[in-house]
Amino acid sequence: MVYVGGKKKLAKYICPILQKELDTGKYSAYVEPFGGGGNIMENINFPVRYFYDINKYLIAFYKALQDGWEMPQPNSFGAEHYNEVRNSFKLKDKKYPDYYYGYMMFVPSYNGRMWGSYAKDGRYLYQKEHYLSVKENFLKIKDCIFEAKSYENLVLNNCLIYCDIPYQKSKKQYYDIAFDYKKFYNWVRVNSKNNKIFVSEITMPDDFKIIWEKEYMRTLSHQKKFFITEKLYTI
């Protein structure tokens, strides 16, 4: 799925590292506590895959797709309906089911940004691109176990875990909650005793080691582009 902060462009570098480790046969499951757009998960081959995210609406959307729900066709509604659903979400009036809020949050939203703005097709076919991205890539993750849960509440053992956390000083959201980095670092330290954990970030504390890095260009809009060095850490 098109998703702000997703790893669509970097999956071809990160996934072979994760897959090589999984292929050792040492692990009982592959786990992503920050599933998001699924750009890494869709490229991982393992019989048991857990897809967690704190955003219950996103998870409800994935579960609806898993159960056979069909998304509206691209451009089958306009900005008025998008804004009405967004306002309903803000009011918490529960006018629509959770999975529909989850769908509207991202698929018809500009650049896959959660409740960004209505992605109107014009010169660029944003809605069609987002729709086809979900249709194609969900087939690769439809057998996952989806659950809305914070990483803090996971009890894991003998798993390979990949964490794509919100980068420090970035605008990527951890749903609508401030992300506690120190708490996360400690969680990784504790859970690394019984699991193998990889983390995507730009910077981490000194006891985490870099096993891969690459400079690449990030695009926030057609006018806003900049370079960062993506790193993959473990401990």
Side-chain angles (χ1 to χ4, degrees):
M1 177 161 63
V2 178
Y3 193 88
V4 170
K7 291 294 182 293
K8 190 175 181 66
K9 294 181 180 178
L10 296 172
K12 63 182 178 181
Y13 304 108
I14 296 173
C15 291
I17 298 171
L18 303 179
Q19 191 66 56
K20 183 178 179 180
E21 183 67 22
L22 280 169
D23 289 345
T24 62
K26 295 187 291 187
Y27 306 100
S28 59
Y30 173 72
V31 180
E32 290 194 20
F34 306 87
N39 299 140
I40 296 297
M41 182 69 83
E42 67 194 30
N43 293 288
I44 294 297
N45 180 27
F46 202 72
V48 182
R49 297 183 295 171
Y50 287 89
F51 190 114
Y52 296 103
D53 200 281
I54 197 172
N55 186 337
K56 71 173 185 177
Y57 304 98
L58 176 66
I59 294 298
F61 169 54
Y62 285 135
K63 285 186 173 182
L65 292 176
Q66 202 174 41
D67 291 340
W69 180 68
E70 291 287 338
M71 294 181 292
Q73 290 291 317
N75 305 299
S76 59
F77 57 85
E80 183 177 356
H81 179 62
Y82 176 85
N83 292 329
E84 192 273 323
V85 177
R86 179 170 59 180
N87 189 54
S88 167
F89 175 80
K90 291 179 179 178
L91 292 173
K92 302 186 186 304
D93 61 15
K94 299 183 179 181
K95 183 177 179 180
Y96 299 93
D98 286 353
Y99 69 81
Y100 196 68
Y101 289 122
Y103 157 75
M104 292 290 280
M105 277 180 179
F106 298 104
V107 182
S109 183
Y110 180 72
N111 264 1
R113 184 182 299 277
M114 187 172 74
W115 295 127
S117 60
Y118 177 69
K120 181 180 179 180
D121 279 357
R123 180 181 175 187
Y124 297 98
L125 300 178
Y126 296 113
Q127 279 207 37
K128 185 176 180 180
E129 177 190 353
H130 294 185
Y131 173 86
L132 293 176
S133 173
V134 174
K135 290 284 284 187
E136 176 184 353
N137 294 322
F138 186 75
L139 294 175
K140 303 172 186 176
I141 64 172
K142 66 178 182 179
D143 63 341
C144 288
I145 299 165
F146 294 96
E147 191 170 353
K149 187 179 286 188
S150 169
Y151 76 91
E152 301 170 65
N153 299 323
L154 301 181
V155 179
L156 304 169
N157 185 54
N158 196 39
C159 298
L160 191 147
I161 305 166
Y162 170 70
C163 299
D164 181 20
I165 64 173
Y167 296 160
Q168 291 198 56
K169 300 180 181 179
S170 79
K171 294 184 178 180
K172 180 181 176 181
Q173 295 170 289
Y174 184 53
Y175 188 42
D176 59 353
I177 299 171
F179 192 75
D180 189 328
Y181 290 93
K182 290 184 178 179
K183 182 181 287 187
F184 172 74
Y185 301 150
N186 288 331
W187 179 87
V188 174
R189 292 179 181 115
V190 170
N191 283 274
S192 288
K193 296 175 183 177
N194 298 312
N195 305 276
K196 183 69 174 179
I197 304 180
F198 294 94
V199 183
S200 281
E201 243 290 19
I202 298 173
T203 182
M204 294 280 283
D206 292 340
D207 56 327
F208 289 79
K209 61 180 180 180
I210 301 170
I211 61 169
W212 170 87
E213 61 183 306
K214 182 176 178 60
E215 185 181 62
Y216 83 108
M217 184 174 67
R218 290 195 66 187
T219 304
L220 296 181
S221 68
H222 293 301
Q223 292 78 32
K224 296 180 180 179
K225 300 179 180 181
F226 58 95
F227 284 92
I228 66 167
T229 299
E230 173 86 18
K231 302 181 181 76
L232 188 64
Y233 292 85
T234 192
I235 191 170

